[in-house]
Amino acid sequence: MIPLVRALPRPVAAPGPAGVIALALVVLLLAGGLADPRFFSPAYLLQQLHTGAFLGVIAIGAMVVILTGHIDLSVPWTLSAAATFSTAFVGAAGEGAQGELGLLVGLAVGAGIGLVNGIGVAYLRLPSMIWTLAVNMVVLGVCVLHAGLYASGSRPSAVMATLGGGWIGSLVPNAVVVWMVLSAAAVFLLRRTVAGRCLYAVGTRESAAWLSGIDTRRVLLGAFVISGLCSAVAGMLLAGYANQAYQRMGDPYLLPGIAAVVLGGTSILGGRGSYGGCVAGVLLITLITSMLSLLQVPEAFKQIAYGGVIILMVGYYSRRAAAERA
Amino acid sequence: SDTHMPECYTPAAGSERVIRVEPRRGPYRIAVANGHTGIPWRMQMIRSVKAWAAKPENAADIAELKIVSTGADVAAQIAAIDNFIQAGYDAVAFIAVNPKAFDAVIRRARTAGTVLVSFDNPVDNPDVVRITPEWMEFEGAIKTRAVLDQMPRKAGTVLEVRGIPGNSTDRDRHAGFRQVIDEHPEIRVVEVVGNWDTGTVQKVVSDALAVHGRFDAVVCQHGCRGVTNALLAAGHPKVPVGGDAENGFVRALAENGIPGISVSTSPGQGPVAVRAAIALLKGESLPALVNLPTPHVRTADMKPGVNYFPDMPDTYETVSGYAACGPDMVFTPDELMRQSADGN
Amino acid sequence: MPNDPAFLALAGVAKRYGGAVALRDVSFSAGRGSIHAILGENGAGKSTLMKILAGAVAADCGSVTLDGRPLRLDGPAAALREGIVCIFQELSIIPDLTVAENICLADPPRRRIGTIDRGAQRRRARAVLDALGCGSGLDVRARCADLPLAKRQIVEIAKALARRPRVLILDEATSALSAEDAERVMRHLRRLREEGVCVLFISHRMHEVDALADTCSVFRNGEHVATFPAGSRTHDEIVRLMIGRSIAHVYPPKPERPPPAEPYLRVRGLARDGVLKGIDLDVRPGEIVGLGGLDGQGQRELLLALAGVLRGTTGDVRIGTAAGLPSGPRAAGGPGRRIALIPEDRKTEGLFLGLSVAANLSFAALDRLSRCGIVDTDAERALVAGLAGRLAVKAPDRDAPVATLSGGNQQKVVLGKWLATEPKLLLLMDPTRGIDVGTKQEIYRLMRDLAAAGVAILFHSTDYDELIGLCDRVLVLYDGRVAARLSGAEITEEAIVASALNLRPAASAAGSRRPHREALA
Amino acid sequence: MIPALRLLVRHNDRALAAWALLLALLLLFLSIHPRGASGGVLAAWANQGVALAFVAVGQTIVVLTRGIDLSAGAILALCNCAASALVRGDPAEVALGIAAVCLIGAACGALNGLIVVRGRIQPIVATLATGAILSGVALLVRPTPGGSVDDRLADALTGTVGGVVPVSLLLLAVLVAAIWGPVRASLTGRTILAVGSAEPAAYMSGLPVDRAKVAAYALAGLFAAFGGLFLGFQTLSGDPSVGASYTLNSVAAVVLGGTALAGGAGSVAGSIAGALVLRTVGSLIFFTGLDPMAQPLFEGAVLLVAVALGAGRLLRIRNRLEVFR
Ligand SMILES: Nc1ncnc2c1ncn2[C@@H]1O[C@H](COP(=O)(O)OP(=O)(O)OP(=O)(O)O)[C@@H](O)[C@H]1O
Ligand SMILES: Nc1ncnc2c1ncn2[C@@H]1O[C@H](COP(=O)(O)OP(=O)(O)OP(=O)(O)O)[C@@H](O)[C@H]1O
Ligand SMILES: [Mg+2]
Ligand SMILES: [Mg+2]
């Protein structure tokens, strides 16, 4: 496999994002463990994986979009909309086989919103940060109107409930399995497929990619559709986990999703980043948030710690990159 | 001084202040300025206002009813109220995005002769009628005490699930909880922040369970369906849970026989506030600070179709209105659902 | 003024990038009032050395003294304060600012309150451009982004002159200039020499070196191998110093007569508002057709239009089996046409600077290297190895970001990237810009081999030598029309210059005569 | 001089379009307003937009450097909280308080700048982080909404002159002209543009790149502080969570105002129009007889359309490579 960029600088082998975060995770766990040994309990760690899985699925979409040098701010309401409409369908169609078609409805909603995002960014060449923001508001509007018109069901289908909330035995949460499967797909996409190469190329220099005979517009479109689908999956998993779909259920996931990708060493400018880091980033964010809240740290200091970690980590990456350059 | 419908508009303990304005003849132009959008409670509030206004006996008093949702930005909500004042509306009922931010606009309203009524998250200003649950009593004397009652032994660890930090309601409710719980020094309290969001609540409660293993009771502000989800998922013994009145939570208590209490801040506050505005315009006097009776029900007394509705969405607020405020203040689900897309 | 030969002196300067050594223990000096040519193959370290002088790169060790004073060159600002002004291989003008703003960029005329006096700024810009003699037809109020590369390079030069340098460094600053503008710039450089400026001058065009330099220094693999008075050595000797071997003939022999095949590219009446005014041309498989002419006569637009980059171009065009212009590069590269366009600006159009050499080389050919969307990495490796070898790309390793390659080697990667698509029609925009003689020779041979293998090549160059030495036929454009079609023996400098200026050949003698020379050897 | 004028129009066409859009929306709003155009209506309209306009102005300056300030809302909130503690008492104290708040804002901005410049962290990431930190600090300053702000001054600043022209608009115009005007015309201003257009080139040319960047972020902080102060004058209090909606809206305003997020070119004036457009769209729902359930959709749709207007440039494109600029 030919790496897109050199994995490690030859002379100074400073650890990369994944390594650093692994380190950070260990430190965090030790620190937490000293504060309260129960942080070591497998129950707790599995719990972190479980809640991390939702963020992880979202981060996959976020990373794909960020690799192209864009950003998707429509995650919150794409997630809510997918959950709302899929559960509404279940409510209308009733439980059982036909109710499970709600899964497809949810995916369709996600893909549809991704399509709108993509058309605006790739074909109309509008800045993603604003276009997706506007799309987010429109989807919010649609959901409010929908809720205003119909008292539709908000309960997940059996499959959603199992995937979102169920466990394999009491060993592994199904959501984690879903996350792992999607992760494998993501890795394959990014490392082995032409599409993956195109994502990196477009993110590095779209004009050059276009002149190389790539329809860069379709690449961008695809990236946003993937992001929409990931949000939709996360939404339905979350509905299954919470046994209900409810409005604003996506709000807590936008910034952590982006932060996880960035902590994972993906360049916000696009073109650089590896999926391993992204996973590590998700785990780090999940663990930090959870530990701080369990240690009863006041919100103010949570926020401060959150920002501090990002600055430290990303600052380290950029210094390391600089060291690599000269 | 005798105020209008004291059984509904009960003056808050220790507030003698009464508000009365120059009566004027109806029908009146009324506006409702809501803040946050995309929150089920707010949507049901809007619905119940429309349902109430649609009843013929009330419709007679209302020349125009305008309802707007301005979102989280305080500047936008102030602008909305200013515009209604400018447009000469007789009264504006509003849920403040922030209880401190409205002194200036309240002054402008007084000079312009527009009647303001603030509800749910009341403003800190004695010059307007404020209609609200008594949050400390709500969370403390009612919810927390009921939870304590249902604890077999008044000892062990209680989990408190708080709301959005920096919000004054969260502050007051926490104070109420503390007031009661501190009477029991042998009870240990673990505090987590759920942001009034079901998913977040479920996540933090699950974390807390994973770490602390077992709790003897849970007191939750809002999004409490997340608590029952977490408890059931963890196979936690059925300890008392105090929470909100969303259909999902009440159902979870009732159907799983989890001891506890559902305490409601009903969206019915909307029509109660609008009716207060009309009463003022008609020359009635009202207490400056009204504490609404707080509907609540314990698991033992919960009945399907009354306290929870198997075929309604989980986010439906089971207490549609304030019975104490009269027959016109209770709404059936389908009565509310009918109030949807017809423009106003 | 005393012409002290050690006006600018470097001692023991070394620079390594990670593993790659760019400069090792370089000592070097240049005199006031002299023009000093810096020669060396791609990757020899020339630019690195100049960047060190300009404060853009910090040397690992060594010292720089100017006029006997040791300098601390932390950052370009410091160097500029010392009067060391550098015109980089990579253009350093600001696209969104106007010509005037760029020329007076860092020290504009200011009013007492410190705000910029834009009127005075325009006047100063005009003055500099006029002094340079290239100002004609250049509106100082125009945004630089709207200018063609050559004009931008002129602004770049004017910008440097506006700073009144004591030491002026040109790193291939003339590589994109038309012969005429290059001539004017050289005249101005001579004037500066008279004024006592120390000019350091990097170029891969030997004739420019001949025409300008008093002294030459040759670099090789980051070492300073020799310094000698200009003209004291033959080109062949110099080339041997540069690349360690001599090159008998730069240009491969042309085939006797062009193959009598059907034209692969057939263009009739190609027009585009104001730029192209009805161009007819044929290119047959196996034929190398050159595009000459003054800068901005439509050469670039012609090539871009053929690759489908320009919209609203009309004309009757047939490429291979396909009729009409492609709707974009994708269509152009498709099975029907098999066009490859080697773009002009490698940094923004040719390369993915952040990605590895390998990823760049294979990118354009990925659909050949993949089955149902999955990249066959073995095939990819093979292809990359092949190309890198064939073009002798000098890189630390193939997984290094292309950004870390020297200018010339980046250009080689651009070439390789499109050769990988095995095109049938090759559109080249100044492909040898900034490439050293040795590599040029390889590339010329490569092009000839491709032609021999049946590829049709349309080739735009700002360097007349190439047109003369390499092409079977040359079309000279003037004002969007074909001013002359030269073939075989008609392809002479006089003929090209004459028709470029749209003159009759006779009159050309007056026009621009350059010290005549045979092509390197 | 005509050609100069033509260039001026060509280079500012998008800002002009924003102003045209604003005018259209404002007229629509006034025409459906039962009260019509009165001083009070205009004041309410302006006051609602000015805080966002201030933030958008600062945001523009950062965007011109090809950066972005996602901490703008947090700085606004922090300054709003600070104002609720400092801007009261006798005139001297009020003046000092205002100065202090501005200083806080500028300092926060400068901090952003230093992190971006020294830490070599992408602006969007750096300010995302500082944004979190600063909103944490705001929570420390004011755990819940409260405090007070001098209400005499507040009344003056939120009222009108001659019962017609909103004071807030004048304040906006004066502050922007007095602060950004000179900077824009200085070498720092040029460097701000140059950095956004081609940073390596600017550095190579010896322009004071780092200084300009820090200056840009500091200015953004200062204007965010103005926004926080003005919110204080509007609400006579401080609220730690007031900033949430301002960050992204300010970026939206910048884009609507015709400044490219890619940096290098754009105008502060356009962003002011963009901010007021956003707010006017919000106001339209007051008197369009729109069902409350449909209002969010209406707002979102209008914004979507307004943003989509930016695609017009594609029609003018002759060389497809320009698509990527
Ligand atoms: N940023 C960098 N990182 C790593 N290596 C570099 C970097 N810049 C230059 N090099 C290496 O330093 C060596 C000298 O590069 P330099 O640009 O000085 O060559 P040059 O003489 O200018 O060649 P050319 O004529 O092609 O411009 C090359 O081997 C190049 O790969
Ligand atoms: N790969 C691309 N990525 C982004 N935008 C593109 C791309 N190719 C073209 N565009 C732009 O998108 C719009 C539609 O492009 P397209 O090439 O489909 O137009 P077209 O109808 O084919 O042009 P023409 O009328 O010249 O044939 C045009 O503004 C074009 O400049
Ligand atoms: Mg070089
Ligand atoms: Mg070169």
Side-chain angles (χ1 to χ4, degrees), chain D residues 46-138:
Chain D
N47 292 343
Q48 163 190 28
V50 162
L52 179 59
F54 272 122
V55 181
V57 168
Q59 189 68 261
T60 315
I61 299 174
V62 171
V63 167
L64 283 176
T65 68
R66 194 186 259 266
I68 192 166
D69 184 357
L70 294 187
S71 70
I75 297 181
L76 171 127
L78 177 58
C79 291
N80 175 242
C81 294
S84 70
L86 300 174
V87 184
R88 51 186 173 201
D90 61 50
E93 288 170 338
V94 170
L96 277 178
I98 292 178
V101 173
C102 296
L103 208 64
I104 294 174
C108 295
L111 174 73
N112 282 331
L114 287 173
I115 293 177
V116 168
V117 168
R118 293 263 162 277
R120 298 210 208 86
I121 303 181
Q122 277 310 317
I124 182 170
V125 179
T127 54
L128 188 74
T130 50
I133 295 177
L134 292 176
S135 40
V137 177

Side-chain angles (χ1 to χ4, degrees), chain A residues 325-326, chain C residues 17-18 20-23 40-49 51 89 171-172 202 204 394-396 403-409 434-436:
Chain A
R325 253 182 271 107
Chain C
Y17 289 102
V21 175
L23 291 172
E41 64 180 323
N42 298 130
K46 308 182 293 297
S47 296
T48 307
L49 186 65
K51 285 180 185 152
Q89 192 167 4
D171 187 341
E172 294 174 40
I202 299 180
H204 293 289
K394 181 166 180 284
T404 65
L405 268 55
S406 78
N409 283 294
I435 289 194
D436 65 54

Side-chain angles (χ1 to χ4, degrees), chain C residues 246-270:
Chain C
S246 78
I247 38 174
H249 303 289
V250 182
Y251 299 105
K254 304 180 186 180
E256 287 322 309
R257 70 191 69 72
E262 267 302 290
Y264 185 81
L265 168 67
R266 186 175 170 290
V267 176
R268 294 289 177 269
L270 192 71

Side-chain angles (χ1 to χ4, degrees), chain A residues 9-289:
Chain A
R10 294 283 178 280
V12 281
V20 181
I21 297 185
L23 211 71
L25 283 169
V26 173
V27 174
L28 201 60
L29 276 174
L30 288 179
L34 294 185
D36 183 340
R38 287 169 298 190
F39 281 129
F40 284 131
S41 72
Y44 176 71
L45 296 177
L46 281 172
Q47 177 56 38
Q48 294 321 299
L49 280 179
H50 194 173
T51 46
F54 306 122
L55 185 58
V57 173
I58 288 168
I60 293 175
M63 173 167 181
V64 168
V65 168
I66 290 177
L67 271 182
T68 66
H70 290 276
I71 194 162
D72 181 356
L73 298 184
S74 73
V75 164
W77 280 93
T78 309
L79 189 155
S80 304
T84 307
F85 287 104
S86 56
T87 52
F89 181 89
V90 175
E95 294 294 333
Q98 74 277 25
E100 295 306 341
L101 293 178
L103 291 163
L104 297 182
V105 175
L107 292 176
V109 170
I113 297 173
L115 210 61
V116 176
N117 286 329
I119 289 173
V121 174
Y123 289 78
L124 303 182
R125 313 304 297 179
L126 299 166
S128 53
M129 185 176 262
I130 295 313
W131 179 253
T132 56
L133 180 70
V135 170
N136 190 55
M137 288 180 62
V138 169
V139 178
L140 175 157
V142 172
C143 290
V144 169
L145 188 58
H146 166 85
L149 293 179
Y150 318 101
S152 51
S154 66
R155 283 157 218 162
S157 73
V159 174
M160 290 182 209
T162 340
L163 290 182
W167 289 59
I168 295 179
S170 61
L171 294 175
V172 189
N174 295 335
V176 176
V177 179
V178 176
W179 180 27
M180 286 311 151
V181 172
L182 292 181
S183 296
V187 170
F188 184 78
L189 172 80
L190 292 180
R191 309 193 118 255
R192 292 301 312 278
T193 66
V194 176
R197 296 296 183 84
C198 292
L199 286 173
Y200 282 91
V202 169
T204 309
R205 181 66 77 173
E206 186 176 0
S207 50
W210 184 63
L211 281 171
S212 313
I214 303 298
D215 184 344
T216 58
R217 293 177 290 180
R218 256 194 273 137
V219 176
L220 291 176
L221 193 65
F224 278 96
V225 170
I226 291 179
S227 173
L229 285 170
C230 288
S231 304
V233 172
M236 291 186 286
L237 289 179
L238 212 53
Y241 176 68
N243 281 310
Q244 78 184 78
Y246 56 98
Q247 303 205 318
R248 296 206 167 271
M249 67 194 285
D251 284 11
Y253 288 91
L254 175 60
L255 291 186
I258 295 170
V261 174
V262 172
L263 278 181
T266 300
S267 161
I268 197 79
L269 301 181
R272 264 192 297 114
S274 74
Y275 184 71
C278 177
V279 174
V282 169
L283 294 179
L284 182 63
I285 291 224
T286 312
L287 204 59
I288 289 183
T289 344

Side-chain angles (χ1 to χ4, degrees), chain D residues 213-265:
Chain D
K213 278 188 176 177
V214 175
Y217 284 90
L219 282 171
L222 179 62
F223 277 103
F226 291 157
L229 269 169
F230 189 80
L231 268 182
F233 289 128
Q234 253 181 303
T235 63
L236 303 179
S237 67
D239 175 0
S241 60
V242 75
S245 66
Y246 278 80
T247 304
L248 288 176
N249 277 332
S250 66
V251 181
V254 169
V255 171
L256 287 179
T259 301
L261 290 182

Side-chain angles (χ1 to χ4, degrees), chain C residues 163-431:
Chain C
R163 303 207 61 142
R164 315 208 156 292
R166 297 161 73 196
V167 176
L168 177 63
I169 301 169
L170 294 88
D171 187 341
E172 294 174 40
T174 55
S175 56
L177 292 187
S178 66
E180 291 65 28
D181 285 334
E183 187 63 38
R184 292 203 191 82
V185 171
M186 288 198 269
R187 234 179 278 126
H188 193 82
L189 291 179
R190 296 198 195 87
R191 217 171 305 137
L192 289 175
R193 169 174 57 192
E194 304 321 317
E195 296 166 12
V197 177
C198 166
V199 179
L200 299 180
F201 176 84
I202 299 180
S203 170
H204 293 289
R205 292 178 176 175
M206 288 310 283
H207 63 260
E208 293 181 349
V209 176
D210 291 333
L212 267 182
D214 330 314
T215 320
C216 301
S217 292
V218 177
F219 285 74
R220 184 153 123 218
N221 299 335
E223 291 178 8
H224 178 192
V225 290
T227 294
F228 48 85
S232 68
R233 312 222 175 162
T234 68
H235 286 148
D236 207 18
E237 290 166 329
I238 295 176
V239 169
R240 204 177 299 111
L241 281 172
M242 280 167 53
I243 62 180
R245 63 189 165 86
S246 78
I247 38 174
H249 303 289
V250 182
Y251 299 105
K254 304 180 186 180
E256 287 322 309
R257 70 191 69 72
E262 267 302 290
Y264 185 81
L265 168 67
R266 186 175 170 290
V267 176
R268 294 289 177 269
L270 192 71
R272 181 162 194 275
D273 43 31
V275 200
L276 300 175
K277 302 176 178 174
I279 289 188
D280 304 349
L281 94 121
D282 292 339
V283 184
R284 295 185 188 71
E287 187 176 42
I288 302 182
V289 176
L291 281 180
L294 300 180
D295 174 62
Q297 302 302 308
Q299 301 96 322
R300 293 181 176 81
E301 287 76 7
L302 174 55
L303 294 183
L304 289 176
L306 290 176
V309 173
L310 301 185
R311 320 174 77 197
T313 317
T314 63
D316 163 19
V317 178
R318 157 164 300 283
I319 305 167
T321 59
L325 286 168
S327 66
R330 184 172 186 73
R337 300 190 174 87
R338 306 283 301 278
I339 302 177
L341 169 78
I342 312 281
E344 178 172 32
D345 180 350
R346 61 174 168 254
K347 286 218 167 352
T348 67
E349 298 167 356
L351 293 173
F352 308 107
L353 287 176
L355 301 187
S356 68
V357 174
N360 273 278
L361 281 173
S362 64
F363 186 74
L366 276 181
D367 28 6
R368 282 198 302 109
L369 297 172
S370 59
R371 251 174 281 83
C372 49
I374 299 169
V375 181
D376 172 352
T377 47
D378 301 339
E380 184 182 19
R381 256 212 207 73
L383 176 92
V384 168
L387 286 168
R390 195 160 152 209
L391 295 158
V393 176
K394 181 166 180 284
D397 68 72
R398 278 171 209 150
D399 299 337
V402 132
T404 65
L405 268 55
S406 78
N409 283 294
Q410 291 181 357
Q411 188 66 24
K412 292 188 201 172
V413 175
V414 177
L415 269 169
K417 178 176 165 200
W418 268 280
L419 290 186
T421 64
E422 294 178 357
K424 285 208 181 317
L425 172 59
L426 196 53
L427 307 175
L428 298 139
M429 302 177 86
D430 221 355

